[in-house]
Amino acid sequence: MSSEFFVQSGASGIRMRASGFDGCSMLRTINLAPIQPLHINSLSRLFANCTSLTHVDLSRFDGAELLSLNDLFNGCANLREVRMPNIEHAGDSKRKIELNGLFAECESLRKTSFDWLYIPDGSSASLGGLLSGCSRLKYADVSALADDHAAGEHERGVSEGCDALHEAVIGSRMSMSEGWKRSVLPEGHWEDVASGAAYEANNVPSYQSGRYYRVFIVEMRDVDASTPHHEHIDWLVKNGISTGWDNGDGTYKLPPLSYRGPCRYGCVAVPFC
């Protein structure tokens, strides 16, 4: 199986290695439909450091033999949309799928899903730095990822620097060991949408698939179920809009309200926080 592909143009063509476009900083988009053959085992660094690339369709590649996608889009700072080949390795042979740094430093990527990837039992994947540096990423469906194999190199920095990540979908094949929790979910609190339970990132239950929202947990010492509009106050806190007044001891309190009125349609309450 080759790590090269052939770009056909009329009667002639150009043979390129998997990293053939590495560093093409002016490349914005590309039509890969004429590529032959479509069977290849590596796409490593194919578009690495293509800083102007905005979208690309790789579905023409046959993913049955793809084993390495290391740094495929590493450094593609303007990448917004990708269509990946379906990778599903049939049979019982043990294989290692390399996805290290696949989307590293893709600063403009807002959402991603790995529904194109299937990791069969007995196979493993290296995922170091998979989404690291995706600073604007808000949604990640990583339910296709699995750590049924021994913990190791794939735990490092999967979503390091994804500070904007707000929603994550976790699969049932991810044990969420301590290493994974630190690596996949940024520090903070995550709420299981189905149950409403909130966990610190390193306490998300093992092997529990589900959708999680990042929430902000602040103890409002003087807010309870009897507080008027407490559900609205809780919503403001959980979404990081307001934290109240800092009591200096790790707790917070509801700030006083300034009622601006009278007005024609009622008064607006403005908290001083």
Side-chain angles (χ1 to χ4, degrees), residues 90-169:
D92 55 1
S93 59
K94 294 184 178 180
R95 304 188 185 199
K96 184 174 183 178
I97 307 166
E98 298 181 350
L99 305 173
N100 299 296
L102 173 58
F103 293 112
E105 306 301 328
C106 291
E107 300 172 358
S108 297
L109 199 64
R110 302 298 180 94
K111 63 180 181 178
T112 188
S113 172
F114 294 88
D115 55 0
W116 46 269
L117 173 66
Y118 174 68
I119 302 175
D121 293 337
S123 294
S124 63
S126 56
L127 311 171
L130 178 66
L131 296 167
S132 63
C134 294
S135 56
R136 297 179 184 175
L137 186 69
K138 295 182 178 296
Y139 170 87
D141 183 346
V142 295
S143 56
L145 304 184
D147 65 343
D148 295 341
H149 42 88
E153 60 181 345
H154 51 275
E155 288 190 351
R156 296 198 301 265
V158 173
S159 58
E160 183 178 359
C162 297
D163 296 331
L165 188 62
H166 175 72
E167 182 178 357
V169 182

Side-chain angles (χ1 to χ4, degrees), residues 220-240:
M220 301 283 280
R221 191 165 58 185
D222 58 346
V223 176
D224 56 30
S226 65
T227 304
H229 306 292
H230 69 89
E231 67 276 12
H232 300 112
I233 296 171
D234 290 342
W235 182 88
L236 289 169
V237 170
K238 287 174 65 175
N239 287 277

Side-chain angles (χ1 to χ4, degrees), residues 165-260:
L165 188 62
H166 175 72
E167 182 178 357
V169 182
I170 305 296
S172 60
R173 294 179 62 200
M174 187 174 288
S175 72
M176 295 304 288
S177 62
E178 185 176 351
W180 271 104
K181 291 167 185 174
R182 290 197 307 266
S183 185
V184 174
L185 296 177
E187 184 178 355
H189 290 83
W190 293 83
E191 180 180 87
D192 181 355
V193 175
S195 68
Y199 308 91
E200 290 186 14
N202 59 356
N203 288 324
V204 172
S206 298
Y207 296 114
Q208 178 172 302
S209 60
R211 185 180 303 270
Y212 290 85
Y213 286 133
R214 193 176 189 181
V215 295
F216 295 84
I217 304 298
V218 175
E219 182 186 352
M220 301 283 280
R221 191 165 58 185
D222 58 346
V223 176
D224 56 30
S226 65
T227 304
H229 306 292
H230 69 89
E231 67 276 12
H232 300 112
I233 296 171
D234 290 342
W235 182 88
L236 289 169
V237 170
K238 287 174 65 175
N239 287 277
I241 298 172
S242 176
T243 60
W245 276 1
D246 190 346
N247 293 318
D249 59 0
T251 64
Y252 296 79
K253 65 181 178 182
L254 180 67
L257 303 178
S258 171
Y259 291 95
R260 297 183 179 177

Side-chain angles (χ1 to χ4, degrees), residues 21 24 26-32 47 50 52-57 79 81:
F21 298 104
C24 293
M26 300 301 292
L27 182 67
R28 293 178 180 274
T29 187
I30 187 171
N31 178 15
L32 297 175
F47 294 107
C50 291
S52 298
L53 187 68
T54 59
H55 61 280
V56 65
D57 184 351
L79 187 68
E81 184 178 354

